[in-house]
C-alpha cells in the first residue's frame, strides 16, 4: 500500500521562506510531485522529482531523498497569492498510478 | 486547446439514482484519472487508465465504474448513488515528457447526493 504524511497547516509571513515536508511509505516508489490548489479551484502542477536532489523553478524548489523516503517543497519570497493548499503525490511502479497526500494548508500573514 | 473538460459542473442526485460524469482531454495524453476530493481527505484515486483500452482500480473504486471510450475520453459512472458519494470529482490526464510527469486537472464536478 501507500501512505503519505504532510502537515495539515503551516503559517508564514509574507516575504519569508517556508518549507512543507512530505514523508511517504510506498512500495514501488518512482517519483514525487507537488501540486497547488486554491480554494474552489483545480490542482495545478508545481514540480516533479524522480532523482535525489533539489529542483528549482523560480520561487519554488522541491527536494527528494529516496533513501529517507522524504521530500519537501520550498517556497521563497512568499506572496499573499501563495495562500493555498499544497499536495505531495507519489508515482507508483512507473505505471502511471498517482496517489496524493491529504494536503497542507498554507496561511500567509501580512 | 481546451485542456481537460468535465461535464456537468454541478449535479444533485437522489439516493439510488445513476449518472455518468464525462471527461475529455485534447492534449493527446495516454493516461487519465478520476479522483474525488472531500474536506480534509486530499484527493483520492478512484480509477485510472494508463492507455486506451485499459483501466485499473485506485484507492476507492467501490460504487464506481469507468470507461475509457477512446484516447480522449474517460467517463465515470455511479450506478446507484449514495450520500457517501457526495464530493467534488476531478478528472486528470498526464504524460511523461522530458523526465517529468505532470497531471493536468479539469475544473471538477460538484456532486451532491441527497
Amino acid at each position: 500500500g501507500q501512505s503519505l504524511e504532510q502537515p495539515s497547516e503551516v503559517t508564514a509571513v509574507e516575504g519569508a521562506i517556508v518549507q512543507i515536508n512530505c514523508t511517504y511509505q510506498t512500495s514501488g516508489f518512482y517519483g514525487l510531485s507537488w501540486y497547488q490548489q486554491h480554494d474552489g479551484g483545480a490542482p495545478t502542477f508545481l514540480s516533479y522529482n524522480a532523482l535525489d536532489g533539489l529542483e528549482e523553478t523560480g520561487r519554488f524548489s522541491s527536494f527528494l531523498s529516496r533513501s529517507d523516503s522524504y521530500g519537501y517543497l520550498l517556497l521563497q519570497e512568499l506572496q499573499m497569492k501563495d495562500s493555498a493548499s499544497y499536495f505531495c503525490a507519489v508515482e507508483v511502479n512507473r505505471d502511471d498510478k498517482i496517489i496524493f497526500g491529504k494536503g497542507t494548508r498554507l496561511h500567509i500573514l501580512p | 486547446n481546451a485542456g481537460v473538460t468535465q461535464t456537468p459542473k454541478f449535479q444533485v442526485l437522489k439516493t439510488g439514482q445513476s449518472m455518468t460524469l464525462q471527461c475529455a482531454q485534447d492534449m493527446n495524453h495516454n493516461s487519465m484519472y478520476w479522483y474525488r476530493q472531500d474536506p480534509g481527505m486530499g484527493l483520492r484515486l478512484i480509477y485510472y487508465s494508463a492507455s486506451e483500452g485499459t483501466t485499473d482500480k485506485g484507492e476507492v473504486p467501490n460504487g464506481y465504474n469507468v470507461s475509457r471510450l477512446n484516447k480522449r475520453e474517460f467517463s465515470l459512472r455511479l450506478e446507484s448513488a449514495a450520500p457517501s458519494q457526495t464530493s467534488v470529482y476531478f478528472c486528470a490526464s498526464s504524460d511523461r515528457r522530458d523526465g517529468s510527469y505532470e497531471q493536468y486537472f479539469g475544473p471538477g464536478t460538484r456532486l451532491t447526493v441527497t
Side-chain angles (χ1 to χ4, degrees):
Chain A
Q2 299 87 28
S3 71
L4 295 93
E5 295 291 330
Q6 50 181 129
S8 58
E9 291 186 85
V10 172
T11 300
V13 178
E14 189 176 15
I17 299 172
V18 71
Q19 179 174 312
I20 300 174
N21 298 321
C22 175
T23 58
Y24 58 87
Q25 289 186 318
T26 304
S27 56
F29 173 85
Y30 192 78
L32 184 72
S33 303
W34 289 92
Y35 287 79
Q36 179 191 60
Q37 185 181 31
H38 287 99
D39 286 346
T44 56
F45 175 80
L46 293 175
S47 68
Y48 175 81
N49 295 68
L51 303 176
D52 285 356
L54 191 68
E55 295 278 344
E56 298 179 70
T57 308
R59 294 188 297 114
F60 293 2
S61 303
S62 59
F63 172 82
L64 175 65
S65 168
R66 297 174 69 101
S67 59
D68 294 325
S69 298
Y70 164 76
Y72 65 72
L73 179 70
L74 192 73
L75 295 80
Q76 301 179 308
E77 301 172 17
L78 285 171
Q79 303 175 9
M80 297 304 293
K81 68 179 182 179
D82 297 329
S83 294
S85 293
Y86 293 84
F87 296 89
C88 59
V90 294
E91 181 184 359
V92 180
N93 290 330
R94 206 178 188 275
D95 71 350
D96 299 2
K97 183 177 184 179
I98 309 290
I99 302 295
F100 280 72
K102 293 184 178 180
T104 298
R105 180 81 179 204
L106 175 61
H107 302 279
I108 300 178
L109 304 175
Chain B
N1 191 341
V4 179
T5 57
Q6 292 182 234
T7 55
K9 287 187 168 52
F10 300 92
Q11 184 71 50
V12 179
L13 290 178
K14 295 187 188 304
T15 298
Q17 288 185 318
S18 62
M19 79 161 296
T20 299
L21 282 65
Q22 306 286 354
C23 175
Q25 52 95 7
D26 62 1
M27 295 172 282
N28 201 36
H29 287 166
N30 286 314
S31 300
M32 297 187 74
Y33 305 79
W34 278 105
Y35 291 91
R36 62 176 288 174
Q37 185 171 34
D38 305 294
M41 296 297 293
L43 292 126
R44 291 185 290 171
L45 181 63
I46 305 172
Y47 273 93
Y48 68 107
S49 170
S51 63
E52 185 179 352
T54 68
T55 60
D56 286 284
K57 294 179 180 179
E59 302 169 275
V60 289
N62 291 345
Y64 305 95
N65 287 301
V66 290
S67 295
R68 184 74 183 267
L69 304 170
N70 47 55
K71 192 171 187 179
R72 290 188 63 250
E73 299 172 290
F74 190 38
S75 63
L76 179 72
R77 182 159 179 85
L78 287 71
E79 291 290 353
S80 178
S84 61
Q85 294 178 304
T86 292
S87 189
V88 180
Y89 291 85
F90 287 102
C91 176
S93 70
S94 64
D95 217 345
R96 200 175 303 278
R97 292 177 186 174
D98 300 326
S100 184
Y101 196 80
E102 177 177 349
Q103 286 182 304
Y104 295 80
F105 284 82
T109 294
R110 284 149 182 80
L111 175 67
T112 301
V113 183
T114 61

